[in-house]
């Protein structure tokens, strides 16, 4: 069984570099379905979800090649394939990012409905409504989304749902509108750095997108996109997780190769809890040796505190004596970590969309099971702080979104040992054709 053994209670010290962003890699890889000509991506992390997207694109007729460990070349070699395999889509919700590109470039996309997940219902109504507004015909047939269009046409689309903008919905519509005839105006769009990265990548391929990073995005459709070379942004969620590892172990950790301005809400939270925070052009240092105090936080769409950091922050609050609270306005059902954190002797309970926490200095090691990616990361953090030997089972969930997580923690002085199989990497082609 895949598991992580942690001997906790050691402060972490040192420097660690973050990998490229998973949530930029996935939609940008899917967007290469729109492109005529070879694409080269740099700083692509090797992790479970990227391997799933590689397999999905290969199944859709893209030839992939990894010239180096962290670069990936992609070329559309069989554009007749338009149906995403259920065996791959069911592994990862972000598979839905291929829908917009398929219908825009290949005239038809058939993608199994992604279904619910541990974070809650996660509907995709806003993706589908947006594609219909662009002129796609959509029907749901025995669990499959079938989207067809001759040529999409620009439209005004409002993308905000009851919980704020949709990130992958914005990605799907940015892609689809790039090849539509005429102008598309997206209002209530996501402004996350990963969406900005996707839009800039598309512009590098010849798209005409303005307003990235704001809630209003304008896209002037073009008839074709060409190949480009693109370096992905650093993973701000990985950076935040490593900084929180410094805080929870009361050590001093410097995270290199990150974008401090993309971490503003996380750094504010660290400072609220009493940590020393220092930033440079591409690094952040957190000093967790000062007295720490409890706090109240709310996860919200960018530039708010990311929901993908909420479980890891909850672990840190569990290790600070006193009363804390953390609300999640984006995924009000994201509480897979709560019961497992309580195994460490912490006291967390759920009230509506909020976790109430009575923190303690004395977390104790325990066997736990990672229920999903970020909840798994929060259990690893708690294990690093707890005295004694913790075992985190099902750590494959963590491999989905963190590159060499155990190795990076060990380099900071953590006693961690990985047992069992890693999430297997997908095997790319030896080279691109032509
Ligand atoms: N929503 C709707 N209708 C839609 C789409 C979303 O009501 O059509 C709701 C969702 O149910 C949720 C909220 O809107 O309450 C936000 O969902 P969103 O669509 O933004 O989430 P997502 O695009 O499916 C991405 C990330 C998640 C991250 C969220 C929020 C990727 C591949 N995934 O998901 O990342 O939590 O945005 O920031 O970018 C993770 O990395 O662990 C992860 C789950």
């Amino acid at each position: 069984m895949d598991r992580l053994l942690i001997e906790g209670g050691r402060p972490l010290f040192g420097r660690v570099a973050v990998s490229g962003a998973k949530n930029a890699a996935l939609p940008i890889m899917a967007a290469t379905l729109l492109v005529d000509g070879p694409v080269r991506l740099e700083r692509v992390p090797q992790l479970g979800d990227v391997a799933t997207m590689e397999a999905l694109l290969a199944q859709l007729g893209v030839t992939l090649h990894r010239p180096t460990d962290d670069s990936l070349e992609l070329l559309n070699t069989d554009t007749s394939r338009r149906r995403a395999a259920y065996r791959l889509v069911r592994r990862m919700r972000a598979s839905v990012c291929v829908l917009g590109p398929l219908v825009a470039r290949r005239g038809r996309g058939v993608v199994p409905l992604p279904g619910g997940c541990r974070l809650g219902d996660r509907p995709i109504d806003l993706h589908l409504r947006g594609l219909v507004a662009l002129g796609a015909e959509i029907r749901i047939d025995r669990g499959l989304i079938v989207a067809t269009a001759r040529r999409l046409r620009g439209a005004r689309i409002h993308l905000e749902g009851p919980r704020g903008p949709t990130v992958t919905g914005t990605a799907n519509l940015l892609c689809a509108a790039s090849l539509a005839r005429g102008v598309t105006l997206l209002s209530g769009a996501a402004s996350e750095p990963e969406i900005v990265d996707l839009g800039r990548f598309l512009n590098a391929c010849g798209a005409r997108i303005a307003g990235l990073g704001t809630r209003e995005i304008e896209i002037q459709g073009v008839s074709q996109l060409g190949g480009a070379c693109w370096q992905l942004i650093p993973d701000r969620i990985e950076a935040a997780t490593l900084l929180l590892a410094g805080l929870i172990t009361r050590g001093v950790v410097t995270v290199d190769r990150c974008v401090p301005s993309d971490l503003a809400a996380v750094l504010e939270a660290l400072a609220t809890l009493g940590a020393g925070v220092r930033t440079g052009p591409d690094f952040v240092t957190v000093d967790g040796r000062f007295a720490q105090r409890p706090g109240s936080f709310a996860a919200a769409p960018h530039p708010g505190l990311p929901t993908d950091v909420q479980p890891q922050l909850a672990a840190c609050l569990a290790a600070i004596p006193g009363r804390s609270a953390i609300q999640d306005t984006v995924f009000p059902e994201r509480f897979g970590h709560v019961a497992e954190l309580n195994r460490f002797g912490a006291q967390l309970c759920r009230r509506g969309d909020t976790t109430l926490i009575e923190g303690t200095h004395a977390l104790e090691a325990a066997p736990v099971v990672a229920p999903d990616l970020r909840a798994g990361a929060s259990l690893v953090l708690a294990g690093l702080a707890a005295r004694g030997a913790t075992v985190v089972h099902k750590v494959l969930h963590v491999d989905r979104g963190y590159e060499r997580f155990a190795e990076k923690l060990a380099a900071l002085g953590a006693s961690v040992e990985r047992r069992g199989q890693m999430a297997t990497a997908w095997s790319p082609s030896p080279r691109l054709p032509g």
Side-chain angles (χ1 to χ4, degrees):
M1 281 287 283
D2 60 296
R3 57 196 192 276
L4 193 67
L5 313 184
I6 306 173
E7 191 60 46
R10 299 179 178 203
L12 301 191
F13 289 99
R15 309 187 77 100
V16 61
V18 289
S19 303
K22 167 181 86 81
N23 288 347
L26 299 175
I28 289 177
M29 288 169 69
T32 62
L33 288 166
L34 295 165
V35 176
D36 294 327
V39 167
R40 183 179 169 115
L41 302 177
E42 303 284 355
R43 215 174 170 184
V44 182
Q46 291 204 26
L47 36 81
D49 279 5
V50 167
T52 301
M53 184 57 86
E54 287 178 89
L56 181 60
L57 292 177
Q59 182 256 311
L60 289 168
V62 178
T63 302
L64 300 102
H65 166 58
R66 266 198 188 261
T68 64
D69 276 356
D70 69 350
S71 59
L72 186 63
E73 290 177 350
L74 308 98
L75 180 67
N76 285 287
T77 42
D78 180 358
T79 53
S80 67
R81 306 220 197 145
R82 295 180 290 193
R83 181 175 181 145
Y86 177 64
R87 73 188 154 80
L88 297 169
V89 173
R90 73 170 183 211
R91 279 198 221 159
M92 179 179 76
R93 290 189 55 82
S95 303
V96 75
C97 289
V98 301
L99 183 63
L102 282 177
V103 69
R105 179 64 188 84
R106 300 188 184 177
R108 181 179 168 90
V110 181
V111 179
L113 279 166
C117 79
R118 288 182 182 273
L119 312 189
D121 289 346
R122 300 187 75 181
I124 52 161
D125 54 311
L126 298 166
H127 302 229
L128 301 187
R129 256 196 271 152
L131 290 172
V132 168
L134 292 175
E137 253 180 49
I138 295 194
R139 65 192 164 83
I140 308 292
D141 184 7
R142 283 170 292 172
L144 300 174
I145 309 161
V146 182
T148 45
R150 285 175 68 88
R151 169 112 195 246
L152 297 173
R153 49 171 200 277
R156 281 175 178 268
I157 300 168
H158 188 66
L159 263 180
E160 192 147 348
R163 314 235 172 264
T166 162
V167 175
T168 49
T170 304
N172 251 329
L173 293 167
L174 267 185
C175 288
S178 290
L179 285 187
R181 195 190 304 277
V183 177
T184 297
L185 290 171
L186 299 181
S187 60
S191 63
E192 268 65 5
E194 295 76 17
I195 291 295
V196 175
D197 206 36
L198 167 66
R200 288 186 178 152
F201 163 73
L202 289 169
N203 282 344
C205 295
R208 300 182 64 192
I209 303 172
L212 290 165
T214 73
R215 291 282 159 90
E216 311 282 323
I217 302 180
E218 183 178 317
I219 305 135
Q220 296 195 19
V222 296
S223 55
Q224 203 180 26
L225 295 174
C229 182
W230 191 252
Q231 185 177 91
L232 302 176
I233 55 169
D235 197 313
R236 64 197 168 101
I237 307 302
E238 184 200 8
T241 305
L242 292 165
L243 291 170
L244 291 169
L247 178 90
I248 199 169
T249 62
R250 295 172 160 76
V252 185
V253 168
T254 298
V255 169
D256 285 317
R257 294 193 72 198
C258 65
V259 179
S261 56
D262 286 347
L263 287 161
V266 173
L267 303 186
E268 203 183 304
L270 286 165
T272 303
L273 295 176
V277 177
R278 201 161 57 84
T279 59
D282 67 347
F283 71 85
V284 177
T285 301
V286 64
D287 187 339
R289 293 172 300 177
F290 302 104
Q292 295 180 7
R293 44 182 184 263
S296 286
F297 303 93
H302 193 73
L305 185 72
T307 169
D308 291 341
V309 173
Q310 182 260 112
Q312 302 91 309
L313 184 57
C316 293
L317 298 174
I320 300 174
R323 275 199 186 160
S324 290
I326 181 161
Q327 182 192 17
D328 196 327
T329 65
V330 179
F331 290 122
E333 303 289 331
R334 191 173 207 164
F335 292 108
H337 52 290
V338 167
E340 293 300 303
L341 281 176
N342 281 338
R343 291 181 192 264
F344 291 95
Q347 288 184 47
L348 295 88
C349 72
R350 183 185 162 183
R351 286 278 179 280
D353 62 0
T354 302
T355 309
L356 304 177
I357 302 163
E358 188 67 52
T360 169
H361 248 317
L363 292 184
E364 287 163 13
V368 289
V369 182
D372 63 67
L373 165 58
R374 307 301 174 189
S378 90
L379 299 175
V380 174
L381 295 191
L384 292 172
R387 280 191 191 285
T390 285
V391 184
V392 182
H393 294 276
K394 293 210 175 166
V395 77
L396 278 176
H397 284 298
V398 179
D399 298 341
R400 287 186 54 176
Y402 290 90
E403 187 179 48
R404 300 194 308 271
F405 195 39
E407 252 177 68
K408 289 186 182 187
L409 292 172
L412 294 170
S415 169
V416 286
E417 196 185 323
R418 175 62 205 238
R419 292 274 172 83
Q421 214 188 344
M422 295 282 281
T424 47
W426 182 82
S427 316
S429 307
R431 68 186 67 82
L432 287 192

